[in-house]
Amino acid sequence: MNKPMKTLIFDGSVAGDTMAQQVSNALLTALATRGWKSELVVLRNKKIAHCTGDFFCWLKTPGRCSINDDNIELAAQYVQSDVVIFMMPITFVGYSSEKKKINDHLIQNNSPFFTSIHG
């Protein structure tokens, strides 16, 4: 038997968004029907500071954010998932501030090593 797919759902909706609740419930039900293991993370309920943009996660502590909050746990869950779903309202042709905060902190999951090829 195959290992069930692990799905992580980042919910970047605002409090009281009934449509987001309906969508997340439908997603969880559909994924469970397929035998997938899913976790819903409501970003507004997590402590995630704004990224300082200092690149310490690359230069001083590669792979780990220097801000000690929930972003560290969420970044680990992100890389341990088979599928990640970002769910949020789109306003003014952009995504939510909660999505922006987690996006900025996911840079710690990328290798900080670059090389130049042919100039």
Side-chain angles (χ1 to χ4, degrees):
M1 184 171 171
N2 292 341
K3 178 183 139 193
M5 296 286 278
K6 183 176 177 189
T7 305
L8 179 63
I9 303 169
F10 283 138
D11 177 354
S13 65
V14 297
D17 184 344
T18 57
M19 180 58 72
Q21 292 171 348
Q22 291 174 22
V23 170
S24 63
N25 288 339
L27 266 172
L28 291 168
T29 300
L31 293 167
T33 300
R34 289 162 179 77
W36 289 27
K37 181 181 174 190
S38 301
E39 182 173 356
L40 175 68
V41 176
V42 180
L43 294 173
R44 70 177 172 276
N45 295 338
K46 296 292 184 177
K47 182 180 177 191
I48 307 170
H50 292 282
C51 178
T52 59
D54 55 19
F55 290 100
F56 282 3
C57 61
W58 280 4
L59 304 173
K60 292 190 176 185
T61 57
R64 185 169 176 86
C65 183
S66 62
I67 300 172
N68 189 15
D69 63 16
D70 292 333
N71 91 79
I72 295 170
E73 170 199 337
L74 297 175
Q77 287 180 281
Y78 178 86
V79 298
Q80 295 166 1
S81 298
D82 297 304
V83 175
V84 179
I85 298 171
F86 291 95
M87 187 181 85
M88 83 237 65
I90 303 296
T91 54
F92 300 107
V93 194
Y95 42 76
S96 70
S97 61
E98 297 301 327
K99 166 75 163 68
K100 170 74 168 125
K101 287 192 295 187
I102 194 62
N103 256 19
D104 290 347
H105 285 291
L106 291 177
I107 193 173
Q108 66 191 326
N109 294 334
N110 296 312
S111 173
F113 307 106
F114 299 93
T115 187
S116 178
I117 299 173
H118 303 296

